[in-house]
């Protein structure tokens, strides 16, 4: 069913399940990437996105089209992920997780170890960011969103979004410089 998101959202708000299904299929992959980047767990990301779509279905009559449907959905997913991050208990230390097997292609052990260590250091550094900084950094650096869209998604001013991304970049740069 072709159509723009605004029209589909109006039809879905009127009870058209097919229109909502189109919206879900259209936006789920990007929202899953966003949630996985924020949460670090594909299964938690799936839960967050599924809960976000259930919430959106219930709240569609409230959607007034003042922002794009995708921005509205990003905001719902971001809020759900932030709630999940805030309620998390401490997770298992990365050093206690068994290392996955190396791929079949030839890579020097030293280079593979360095890449793994850098990825682990970046993962630890991202986890140390505040949830607010992390979501802004993920939306900017991994999703390529503008500061205005980020601001609308997380409910802050564009200047605040820019500041959060700046502080996140500075923290990550310091952490990775210290790691090296």
């Amino acid at each position: 069913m072709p159509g723009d998101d605004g029209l589909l959202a109006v039809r879905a708000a009127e009870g058209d399940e097919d229109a909502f299904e189109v919206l879900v299929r259209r936006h789920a992959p990007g929202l899953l990437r966003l949630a996985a980047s924020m949460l670090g767990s594909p299964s938690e990301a799936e839960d967050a996105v599924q809960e976000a779509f259930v919430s959106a279905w219930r709240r569609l009559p409230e959607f007034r089209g003042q922002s794009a449907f995708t921005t509205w959905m990003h905001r719902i997913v971001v809020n759900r992920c932030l709630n999940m991050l805030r309620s998390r208990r401490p997770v298992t230390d990365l050093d206690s997780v068994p290392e996955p097997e190396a791929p079949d292609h030839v890579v020097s052990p030293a280079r593979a170890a360095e890449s793994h260590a850098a990825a682990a250091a970046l993962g630890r550094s991202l986890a140390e960011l505040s949830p607010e900084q992390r979501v802004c950094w993920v939306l900017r650096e991994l999703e390529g969103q503008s500061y205005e869209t980020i601001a609308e998604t997380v409910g802050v001013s564009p200047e605040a979004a820019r500041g959060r991304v700046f502080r996140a970049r500075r923290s990550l740069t310091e952490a990775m410089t210290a790691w090296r």
Side-chain angles (χ1 to χ4, degrees):
M1 171 187 306
D4 76 344
D5 288 347
L7 177 61
L8 289 168
V10 168
R11 290 179 57 191
E14 294 171 348
D16 185 343
E17 293 178 13
D18 292 335
F20 189 69
E21 182 180 345
V22 171
L23 290 169
V24 170
R25 289 179 193 266
R26 185 176 291 172
H27 296 285
L31 294 171
L32 279 168
R33 281 191 306 276
L34 169 64
S37 297
M38 287 184 65
L39 299 171
S41 164
S43 63
E44 284 185 319
E46 288 175 7
D47 290 344
V49 172
Q50 182 176 10
E51 290 173 20
F53 276 119
V54 168
S55 176
W57 174 253
R58 290 182 184 136
R59 294 175 39 205
L60 265 172
E62 299 170 21
F63 179 68
R64 300 286 177 240
Q66 294 170 335
S67 63
F69 178 80
T70 187
T71 302
W72 187 65
M73 282 305 305
H74 271 79
R75 186 170 188 150
I76 294 171
V77 170
V78 163
N79 287 338
R80 181 68 197 126
C81 290
L82 287 173
N83 288 339
M84 292 172 78
L85 287 169
R86 289 180 187 122
S87 67
R88 269 189 185 167
R89 294 178 185 233
V91 294
T92 306
D93 183 63
L94 289 177
D95 294 328
S96 68
V97 176
E99 187 171 336
E101 292 186 29
D104 291 335
H105 61 284
V106 178
V107 175
S108 76
R111 187 169 183 101
E114 184 177 328
S115 293
H116 179 71
L122 180 60
R124 284 190 300 274
S125 299
L126 278 170
E128 291 174 5
L129 294 176
S130 72
E132 291 79 12
Q133 286 180 354
R134 186 180 332 163
V135 69
C136 289
W137 185 86
V138 165
L139 289 171
R140 180 68 181 173
E141 301 299 335
L142 300 181
E143 297 291 321
Q145 292 189 3
S146 69
Y147 291 111
E148 292 74 20
T149 303
I150 295 168
E152 192 174 342
T153 300
V154 298
V156 297
S157 70
E159 294 76 21
R162 187 180 301 274
R164 288 178 182 179
V165 171
F166 172 80
R167 286 188 296 281
R169 284 178 181 157
R170 185 178 59 202
S171 295
L172 292 173
T173 299
E174 289 171 2
M176 295 309 290
T177 300
W179 172 78
R180 289 191 178 261

